[in-house]
Amino acid sequence: MIGDDRMDVGYELLDLQILDRDGMEVGKVDDVEFHLDEDGVPYLTALLVGPDVFGHRIGGWLGRVIAATTRRLRTNRSGPVRIPYDLIGSVRSAVTLTVSRDLLPEPELEHWLREHLIARIPGSGHAQ
Amino acid sequence: MKKFFAVTLGILTAIGGFVDVGDLVASSLSGARFGLALAWVVVVGVVGICAYAEMCGRVVAISNRPVFDLVRERLGARVSLLNLVASYLVNLLTLGAELGGVALALQLATSVSYLLWVPVAAFVLWVVLWRVKFETLERVFGLLGLTLVIFAVAVFRLPGHGPELWHQALSPVPTHGENWNTYGYFAISLFASAMTPYEVFFFSSGGVEEKWGPRELSEMRSNVFVGFPLGGGLALALMAVAAQVYHPLNVKLDTLGQVALPAALAVGKLGLAIAILALFAVTFGAAMETGLSSAYVVAQHFGWAWGKLVPPRRAARFHTVLLVSVLVGAAVLLTTINPIQLTEYMLVFSAVVLPLTYLPILVVANDRRYLQDHVNGKLANTVGVVYLVVIVVAAVAAVPLMIVTGAGG
């Protein structure tokens, strides 16, 4: 971090792993959201997680394919998972949130694969 | 005492777990073709995997993140996506080759065609990864892999050990009737077999799940610096028995049975049985590791929940990739491609992607943000950089040499 309230977003935040309060994986910082304050100075408002924002950010042929595929497969209009900046606890080798991931919207692919495939296989509820 | 036992168990597991189908094939094939003239490559490869595995272990113990997780941050999203595709494909090929090894070992034991064993082996593998207490099985297969010692015993019971083997090992040039291209091709296969990428993915992910911290550093190092070299010793034993039995007759190997045969010649039926058990144990153990690694790299790149400590329904994407990978690995074998050839191609492809695996490890191991005071010292960096050069040379030369030599033909 550069100072207490400033950081190099590209170097220190983008592509970092996001973990919830209990250390469970939430996703990567695929992109970030800025708003402008009254003086026109941008400030960070949220972390964005999802293959479509990831595809947009990396751009190019592959990025467009990833973004378009994600949009095409989307069953509702929810968009990427948005994590407000207030929920961030700490930023070290990962971003740790102050809440459990169960309180955040579940990624659609995870939901779909669980309901249609994984949860139907016996023993899916047991850890080893 | 308990600590001593844990360390010993870790080392023993590392010895048995070091050898996989790539080592079996590369060591035996080059032993038959070149005697021990390529033995030095195994030594070079073992030093390399030790240096880089230690870096991975250190990154995990200090940052609590698996290496592939950090790769995306340091390489940037685009390059790491390329890295992901390459790493996943090479993992998948390795998984196919290991499953082929399992099926061939079962064929040796039962005389039932390996093609019938492939679906059985794939199914059992998936059930194991889905349900069974994995840590126990990893230990069991690692320890069973120690039965490879039968090949070390065979070295001393077969004729031609002693001065002749030393002489071969100390003259690192192509043997009579072979050229430098073939020699180079086999050298690259051997090097890749020691440094197969899945080893570091698996090693670092396992470390995260076992919650390594700074206190585990010394145990991790003893596993790496004692276990891997002893495992490399077993690979050398495989090479030596092939050199004793096949090299004088000018026989080229193309089956897994030929890998096991020297044990039978030296120790009889019991030796053969132990050798087959060893081949089964090391390939099945490696199949578990490569299957998991395929899913690790994808999940860790996209930041999904992964691992064996979470119920599958809490990590649905991870378990889907795992399931699909095992199915694809089995499907590749059912095309009736020769598993030994598949292994050779896997090694060449591994060699090509080695820089993508090892460069980021070296970069991350020098990053104070993750490692604080535990960043690479001078020795680790010197060894790391020297090996990176070797790795790049091997990667560039791998495909041209494969074409020129007709895959060692």
Side-chain angles (χ1 to χ4, degrees):
Chain A
M1 293 221 185
I2 298 165
D4 282 340
D5 55 350
R6 294 199 303 158
M7 66 163 77
D8 180 341
V9 170
Y11 185 71
E12 293 181 44
L13 203 54
L14 280 179
D15 294 314
L16 212 61
Q17 178 70 42
I18 307 173
L19 300 173
D20 80 351
R21 194 184 57 178
D22 311 311
M24 286 295 295
E25 290 84 358
V26 175
K28 295 275 181 179
V29 182
D30 286 319
D31 209 345
V32 289
E33 181 190 273
F34 283 101
H35 279 193
L36 298 179
D37 67 9
E38 306 90 67
D39 306 325
V41 180
Y43 63 100
L44 191 69
T45 46
L47 310 178
L48 303 175
V49 182
D52 43 352
V53 281
F54 174 71
H56 263 294
R57 182 160 66 84
I58 67 169
W61 166 84
L62 191 57
R64 280 198 300 277
V65 171
I66 294 175
T69 314
T70 316
R71 274 197 301 275
R72 188 57 68 84
L73 292 177
R74 180 152 285 153
T75 47
N76 59 37
R77 298 191 156 268
S78 59
V81 175
R82 189 176 169 281
I83 300 171
Y85 193 77
D86 307 343
L87 300 183
I88 296 179
S90 66
V91 181
R92 287 198 190 88
S93 57
V95 177
T96 308
L97 305 181
T98 53
V99 294
S100 159
R101 73 169 186 172
D102 297 333
L103 296 176
L104 299 166
E106 186 173 42
E108 280 189 52
L109 183 62
E110 176 77 15
H111 180 81
W112 194 92
L113 288 174
R114 189 184 62 237
E115 298 304 317
H116 291 86
L117 178 67
I118 298 300
R120 296 182 179 203
I121 304 174
S124 65
H126 297 275
Q128 286 177 7
Chain B
M1 190 63 203
K2 202 177 161 195
K3 174 94 177 163
F4 174 77
F5 183 68
V7 170
T8 314
L9 190 62
I11 292 174
L12 291 176
T13 314
I15 299 171
F18 179 83
V19 175
D20 75 336
V21 73
D23 302 274
L24 294 178
V25 169
S27 297
S28 303
L29 258 58
S30 50
R33 286 287 286 267
F34 295 96
L36 283 188
L38 281 165
W40 63 275
V41 182
V42 177
V43 179
V44 170
V46 167
V47 173
I49 190 69
C50 284
Y52 275 92
E54 193 273 339
M55 286 184 219
C56 285
R58 195 151 27 89
V59 170
V60 170
I62 307 301
S63 74
N64 300 315
R65 307 301 317 152
V67 172
F68 209 81
D69 187 327
L70 304 174
V71 162
R72 178 165 155 192
E73 255 184 280
R74 278 296 149 264
L75 284 189
R78 217 171 301 172
V79 179
S80 77
L81 194 61
L82 174 78
N83 189 357
L84 170 67
V85 173
S87 303
Y88 179 73
L89 288 179
V90 77
N91 255 310
L92 206 54
L93 269 184
T94 317
L95 171 59
E98 307 290 355
L99 267 177
V102 174
L104 286 176
L106 289 168
Q107 176 178 332
L108 285 178
T110 61
S111 301
V112 173
S113 164
Y114 81 96
L115 284 170
L116 292 173
W117 281 116
V118 167
V120 179
F123 179 71
V124 171
L125 173 67
W126 173 78
V127 170
V128 164
L129 297 178
W130 176 262
R131 275 309 315 248
V132 185
K133 199 156 170 31
F134 179 79
E135 207 188 325
T136 320
L137 272 188
E138 191 197 356
R139 289 265 150 89
V140 167
F141 280 97
L143 294 177
L144 273 181
L146 287 176
T147 48
L148 276 178
V149 165
I150 191 70
F151 289 100
V153 173
V155 171
F156 295 100
R157 296 190 62 145
L158 286 168
H161 65 273
E164 208 171 322
L165 286 181
W166 275 114
H167 178 71
Q168 291 172 3
L170 295 176
S171 47
V173 289
T175 38
H176 184 67
E178 300 284 0
N179 59 37
W180 279 101
N181 287 339
T182 325
Y183 187 81
Y185 174 78
F186 277 93
I188 288 175
S189 296
L190 273 173
F191 184 66
S193 76
M195 298 199 72
T196 321
Y198 83 86
E199 294 174 40
V200 286
F201 302 145
F202 181 79
F203 186 68
S204 75
S205 303
V208 173
E209 294 210 305
E210 286 169 28
K211 301 198 166 45
W212 287 351
R215 291 161 61 96
E216 277 76 30
L217 274 176
S218 60
E219 188 185 331
M220 179 276 290
R221 286 189 177 124
S222 68
N223 287 355
V224 169
F225 292 139
V226 181
F228 286 4
L230 289 175
L234 294 178
L236 281 177
L238 281 161
M239 188 187 273
V241 292
Q244 288 161 283
V245 174
Y246 300 113
H247 185 57
L249 304 172
N250 221 351
V251 174
K252 286 179 188 171
L253 300 198
D254 50 11
T255 69
L256 199 65
Q258 290 169 310
V259 175
L261 186 62
L265 293 176
V267 195
K269 272 185 195 166
L270 185 64
L272 182 63
I274 295 174
I276 294 174
L277 174 67
L279 300 186
F280 171 76
V282 297
T283 48
F284 195 84
M288 296 195 293
E289 298 184 1
T290 47
L292 282 169
S293 296
S294 313
Y296 285 149
V297 292
V298 178
Q300 288 167 8
H301 180 271
F302 290 110
W304 304 339
W306 57 271
K308 300 156 310 217
L309 303 177
V310 203
R313 55 180 308 144
R314 302 267 294 162
R317 289 170 292 186
F318 172 77
H319 272 279
T320 307
V321 177
L322 188 54
L323 175 60
V324 170
S325 305
V326 173
L327 286 175
V328 174
V332 169
L333 286 167
L334 292 177
T335 61
T336 70
I337 183 173
N338 177 347
I340 303 293
Q341 247 168 17
L342 179 67
T343 306
E344 293 179 60
Y345 291 133
M346 173 275 277
L347 290 172
V348 172
F349 192 39
S350 293
V352 173
V353 304
L354 284 180
L356 285 173
T357 305
Y358 289 100
L359 170 67
I361 295 173
L362 188 60
V363 173
V364 172
N366 275 294
D367 197 324
R368 285 195 177 270
R369 186 169 163 217
Y370 304 120
L371 284 171
Q372 292 129 32
D373 294 336
H374 293 275
V375 286
N376 273 1
K378 275 205 183 98
L379 178 64
N381 270 338
T382 312
V383 177
V385 170
V386 168
Y387 269 86
L388 205 58
V389 174
V390 177
I391 285 168
V392 170
V393 171
V396 172
V399 172
L401 281 180
M402 179 177 79
I403 294 169
V404 172
T405 63

